[in-house]
Every structure is written in C-alpha cells, then in structure tokens.
Amino acid sequence: MTELAAQPQTEPTSKAAKKPKAALNGARAFWLKQLHSWHWISAAVSLVGMILFAVTGITLNHAASIPADPVTVEQTGRLPAPLVERLEQFPQETTEPVPEAVARWAAQDLKAEIAGKPTETTPDEIYVALPTPGGDGWLTIDRATGEAVRETTTRGWIAYLNDLHKGRNAGTVWFWFIDVFAVACVIFALTGLGLMWLHAKGRPSTWPLAALGLLVPVVIALIFIH
C-alpha cells in the first residue's frame, strides 16, 4: 500500500517541469516567426537600395580615381513681348520666383522647370539655379530684351548615382525615400540581431564574429583616423 500511495506523488512534479519548457518553446517559436517575417520583409523593401548605396559607397570612396567628362549643353530663347512687359512689374531686386506665365514659357520652350524656384534678380537680369544630381544648370533672362539662356552640365551616370547616395539636389521625394530606406535597414539589422540571439546557442562563433564587426571599425577610428 505504501508503494502504491507513493507513485501518484511523482506525476505532478514531471508535469510541472514540462509546462515551463513547453511555454519557453512556444515563446521561442513565436519570436522566430515574427523576426523571420520582419527580416525578410525589410530585406525585400531595402534590397535594391542597399545594393545601390553599397556600390555608390565604393564609387564615392574612389571618386578621385574615376574619370568624368562633363558635357555642357546650351539653349537659347526669347520671351514674347507681353512677358517682357510683365517682367517690368517684377521687383528690381528679389529672390521671389518668376511669374507663373514666365515659368510656363520656360518649361515649354527650354524644358526648364523654374516654377516656384528662388531667383537672384537684379535690375538687369533674372538668374535661376537649376542643379541636378550628377550635374549643374542655370537659366538667365535679360529683363530688357527677354533673351533667355539655359545651360546644363552633366558628369555621367556615376556622378548621378553618387549624388543620389548623398541626396544632393534630388528633391523632396528622394529625401523621404532615403528616410524610409534607412528605417527598413534598421529593422533588417535589428531583426537579424534577434535571430542571431535565438540561434546563438547552436552557433558558438556568433558573438565573437559580432564583436569583431564592432571592434574593427572602432580600432580603425581610434588608431588610423586623425
């Protein structure tokens, strides 16, 4: 009777031991699923951007060694008489954009988008800077004669991509794209870190390699950058 009474006492202990282990495995499976989902989604969103920024990181680092042959194109035109008269009412010295009618003419005749852009206006001339990624440009309008000159300089595709990397003269939409891309990269890196953490027990080299990735740039910065 004593032996029979003692047997049921061992069962609750084994069940209690299994519950925490099952809960731990369930939590691990949940986080693995979540991290994998966010990791591949952020990777898909940022894939093309990461390749672009990685390649242009190399081209920027070697910019002095990459030859570039600037190409300059000049266009000329003349404002219609009514628009020249309209400019007589435009302030003598200002940074305000040109009147809408003048901006429409420039867009149609010279393919120059100057609507809403600040000017450097003097009593003799209106100057509008038109910088672009990988190049430069400007438009001038003689206030007396209406003669307009547009000049555009391009330095090739590598210069264009390098300026996209820096967000230089790329506009508002590209500005926000860089921010969204950066957030996607941060999510990609953090979810990767989470996956490393969950798999680290089975991969002994995980944390030494992660520490090396941190140590190398720190050592270079402290020793070789002055």
Side-chain angles (χ1 to χ4, degrees):
M1 292 295 291
T2 304
E3 292 179 359
L4 292 174
Q7 289 178 355
Q9 294 178 2
T10 60
E11 292 180 4
T13 304
S14 60
K15 288 180 180 180
K18 289 179 181 178
K19 285 182 181 179
K21 186 175 181 180
L24 183 63
N25 289 336
R28 187 176 186 277
F30 170 81
W31 283 110
L32 271 174
K33 183 178 179 181
Q34 292 297 316
L35 290 172
H36 273 295
S37 296
W38 282 99
H39 194 63
W40 80 259
I41 290 171
S42 59
V45 169
S46 59
L47 174 62
V48 174
M50 280 194 289
I51 294 173
L52 170 66
F53 278 75
V55 171
T56 51
I58 296 172
T59 56
L60 278 169
N61 201 37
H62 297 273
S65 304
I66 300 174
D69 297 320
V71 177
T72 300
V73 177
E74 185 178 289
Q75 298 170 272
T76 60
R78 188 177 294 274
L79 281 170
L83 294 182
V84 176
E85 294 176 3
R86 178 74 178 274
L87 289 181
E88 292 177 0
Q89 303 171 6
F90 197 59
Q92 294 293 300
E93 294 187 4
T94 184
T95 58
E96 294 179 7
V98 297
E100 291 183 7
V102 175
R104 286 197 298 271
W105 174 86
Q108 292 173 1
D109 284 48
L110 299 177
K111 308 302 179 187
E113 299 296 334
I114 62 174
K117 294 184 182 296
T119 64
E120 296 179 21
T121 300
T122 67
D124 301 320
E125 182 182 74
I126 297 174
Y127 173 88
V128 185
L130 298 171
T132 61
D136 202 358
W138 48 263
L139 172 72
T140 61
I141 301 174
D142 188 301
R143 300 186 64 164
T145 65
E147 183 180 356
V149 178
R150 183 196 179 186
E151 185 175 286
T152 304
T153 301
T154 56
R155 297 189 298 273
W157 281 103
I158 292 179
Y160 177 82
L161 294 175
N162 285 348
D163 280 353
L164 289 185
H165 182 110
K166 296 181 287 186
R168 179 177 178 268
N169 303 320
T172 303
V173 175
W174 187 261
F175 171 87
W176 286 110
F177 165 76
I178 290 178
D179 279 355
V180 172
F181 163 71
V183 171
C185 287
V186 170
I187 294 173
F188 177 74
L190 291 179
T191 52
L193 177 62
L195 291 170
M196 284 169 55
W197 183 277
L198 291 174
H199 290 296
K201 287 185 179 179
R203 299 169 182 171
S205 62
T206 296
W207 298 123
L209 288 174
L212 183 64
L214 171 64
L215 185 62
V216 168
V218 169
V219 170
I220 291 174
L222 292 176
I223 298 177
F224 299 103
I225 300 177
H226 302 287

